[in-house]
Amino acid sequence: MSTVSTLAAACAALIILKKRRKRKRQMWVKNVFLRREEQSVYKVLMAELREEDEAMYKNFVRVTPEGFDLLLGKISQATKKQDTVMRKSISCGERLALTLRFLATGDTYSSLSYLFRIPVCTISKIIPEVCSAILECLKDYFKVPTTEDEWLKIAGEFSSQWDFPNCIGALDGKHIHIQAPAKTGSLYFNYKGTFSIVLLALVDANYKFLYTNIGAPGHHADGGIFATSNLNQAIEQKKLNIPNARPLPGRHMKIPYVIVADDAFALQANLMKPFKHQTLNGMERVYNYRLSRARRIVENAFGMAAARFRILRRSIELPPEKVKLIVGTICVLHNFLLSTSGTVYAPPGTCDRDVNGIFEPGSWRNGTNIPFLDLQPTQGRNYSTNARVIRNEFKEYFVAEGEVPWQYKCI
């Protein structure tokens, strides 16, 4: 026999041997999963809670039965799967309930597998699919204003509710803790020694997200994320139809509509931040208080979302791209639930109250588990003269035409 023939025969024998050694599949699906139709938490527990205890139902998936049905109706077409001759598909309701429970708790896929009687490998596909469907089907609840009237409405609400005129949004960024991604070195390593991605958000006067930038690696620790964001670029290129500059009430100097932010961001003509706290005079203290009162809206929006969707209070053990999808979904759900369920989603006392100078912390602050890590304050000092002039105009307004009697109790 030739060498080639001998080699071919040996290869054939090896292939046959490997086939014989291959472990036979013991079962197509484990029996525990086959009983999903009769015994899963969706079929049993959630059905009981829907009939007997609406509060517990809401606690389980963070929405009321009516809210669940409304949300299901919006995403069902995007999440529906066909039955096959082998098995029935997992229903749209089960897929949504599984995803909401994951967002509400941050439970591991293994834990959810026991609850819903769905294999881990299937759960790992369902959750991203449902999150993507929510982002697509609820996009009308989450969009940056693009008309002058929309911006003027927001500015009017900031003026009437938070006593800060010419304001079109509150801006802040938070670190979302994640498991260290493989082969990324210190890219996601933040200044507090943990791994994270950054959520940058602009919020209106009613705690709704107008814009988010999600996914910047955690080593970005200052407002540079905003400087390079498409929101800032759109503002600078005047693509958003923000109203032209106009005087503050009772004043004569025209100033632009501004965003309020904290020390993590650089002072700009259209972005106001506090004065440094080292040497403040009385007028500067009043200005800082009034700005903080308006800026606290975005902090409360973050806190409210984290209080309802507790996965934000944990280190998320998924790749950064999937974490980005999850955080974006929570922001959209936050807006949707505020719009459709209002005080059911955020009962009175959830957010901070500051009435006539009396501050009452919101219930989302209860407990010792801090949900977010703040961005690191910027060290920049090179502000434009125009930005300083605009900030000084606000400072003078707040102790003159825009004075409120109780502001001096808070400085």
Side-chain angles (χ1 to χ4, degrees):
M1 183 180 293
S2 67
T3 304
V4 175
S5 300
T6 303
L7 183 59
C11 290
L14 182 60
I15 292 172
I16 293 171
L17 183 61
K18 284 186 175 181
K19 286 184 176 181
R20 288 178 177 176
R21 289 181 178 178
K22 185 177 180 180
R23 186 171 62 91
K24 293 184 178 180
R25 183 190 292 268
Q26 295 180 350
M27 61 186 69
W28 182 253
V29 179
K30 291 184 178 180
N31 290 332
V32 68
F33 300 135
L34 291 175
R35 293 191 290 271
R36 187 189 77 247
E37 287 290 321
E38 298 81 23
Q39 299 179 13
S40 80
V41 69
Y42 178 74
K43 295 289 186 178
V44 181
L45 177 62
M46 288 184 63
E48 291 178 2
L49 295 180
R50 177 183 282 263
E51 296 294 329
E52 300 174 7
D53 197 321
E54 183 175 309
M56 290 187 67
Y57 185 100
K58 177 176 176 287
N59 185 57
F60 190 77
V61 288
R62 296 302 191 259
V63 294
T64 62
E66 295 78 12
F68 184 91
D69 293 341
L70 178 61
L71 181 56
L72 180 60
K74 290 183 176 295
I75 70 166
S76 58
Q77 289 301 315
T79 58
K80 188 176 182 180
K81 304 294 182 180
Q82 289 186 339
D83 295 338
T84 69
V85 294
M86 299 296 292
R87 68 178 67 83
K88 288 185 177 181
S89 63
I90 299 171
S91 69
C92 300
E94 286 176 283
R95 291 170 181 271
L96 178 58
L98 169 67
T99 302
L100 291 177
R101 184 61 184 173
F102 173 69
L103 299 179
T105 63
D107 282 351
T108 64
Y109 287 175
S110 296
S111 176
L112 293 170
S113 178
Y114 291 114
L115 273 178
F116 287 86
R117 295 179 181 260
I118 299 174
V120 170
C121 59
T122 306
I123 290 176
S124 67
K125 296 177 182 178
I126 289 175
I127 290 176
E129 287 177 358
V130 174
C131 286
S132 297
I134 290 173
L135 285 174
E136 176 62 26
C137 298
L138 300 185
K139 59 185 178 183
D140 288 341
Y141 292 89
F142 184 93
K143 58 182 180 179
V144 179
T146 55
T147 68
E148 185 172 320
D149 287 343
E150 289 176 323
W151 289 115
L152 286 174
K153 181 176 183 294
I154 293 170
E157 291 170 341
F158 266 103
S159 181
S160 62
Q161 295 173 213
W162 306 108
D163 302 297
F164 203 109
N166 281 39
C167 177
I168 55 173
L171 181 73
D172 201 3
K174 300 294 181 182
H175 288 272
I176 307 296
H177 296 290
I178 64 172
Q179 188 178 43
K183 300 179 181 179
T184 57
S186 61
L187 181 63
Y188 292 90
F189 194 71
N190 61 51
Y191 72 103
K192 286 292 187 178
T194 60
F195 293 87
S196 63
I197 63 171
V198 176
L199 162 62
L200 181 74
L202 181 71
V203 174
D204 70 10
N206 298 308
Y207 308 102
K208 292 180 182 178
F209 294 105
L210 297 173
Y211 166 85
T212 57
N213 183 306
I214 308 167
H219 81 274
H220 293 294
D222 58 29
I225 300 172
F226 174 70
T228 58
S229 69
N230 51 11
L231 174 64
N232 188 45
Q233 293 172 7
I235 292 173
E236 291 180 346
Q237 296 169 12
K238 299 182 178 180
K239 293 181 176 180
L240 297 178
N241 295 316
I242 295 174
N244 293 328
R246 62 186 63 185
L248 296 173
R251 308 281 289 186
H252 301 289
M253 175 184 169
K254 290 185 177 181
I255 63 170
Y257 283 84
V258 300
I259 293 169
V260 293
D262 63 11
D263 278 333
F265 301 87
L267 183 69
Q268 301 176 22
N270 56 10
L271 194 152
M272 294 291 101
K273 63 178 288 184
F275 287 99
K276 292 295 181 182
H277 293 275
Q278 285 82 352
T279 55
L280 293 177
N281 59 40
M283 292 175 66
E284 291 170 344
R285 290 180 185 277
V286 169
Y287 166 86
N288 278 8
Y289 164 69
R290 296 286 290 273
L291 181 136
S292 174
R293 189 168 181 268
R295 187 205 58 80
R296 202 181 294 134
I297 303 305
V298 64
E299 185 178 341
N300 277 263
F302 288 143
M304 193 189 312
R308 297 295 174 264
F309 300 104
R310 296 281 175 134
I311 190 173
L312 295 178
R313 290 177 176 260
R314 307 178 64 166
S315 178
I316 305 176
E317 299 180 359
L318 292 171
E321 283 305 311
K322 288 189 177 179
V323 177
K324 179 179 177 180
L325 176 63
I326 287 166
V327 175
T329 301
I330 289 174
C331 292
V332 173
L333 282 173
H334 170 87
N335 283 9
F336 171 75
L337 294 172
L338 275 180
S339 298
T340 58
S341 22
T343 56
V344 175
Y345 173 67
T350 299
C351 301
D352 297 339
R353 284 172 49 84
D354 189 343
V355 180
N356 296 334
I358 301 174
F359 176 76
E360 298 177 7
S363 61
W364 69 266
R365 296 183 184 272
N366 294 342
T368 58
N369 187 10
I370 304 300
F372 294 110
L373 175 65
D374 291 332
L375 296 184
Q376 189 173 16
T378 180
Q379 302 301 315
R381 297 288 188 276
N382 189 25
Y383 309 137
S384 71
T385 301
N386 189 34
R388 294 176 187 273
V389 168
I390 292 169
R391 183 164 67 173
N392 285 335
E393 176 68 6
F394 274 107
K395 178 185 69 175
E396 294 172 7
Y397 167 78
F398 288 141
V399 296
E401 293 86 352
E403 180 186 43
V404 291
W406 37 263
Q407 65 189 18
Y408 300 103
K409 296 189 298 184
C410 308
I411 62 174

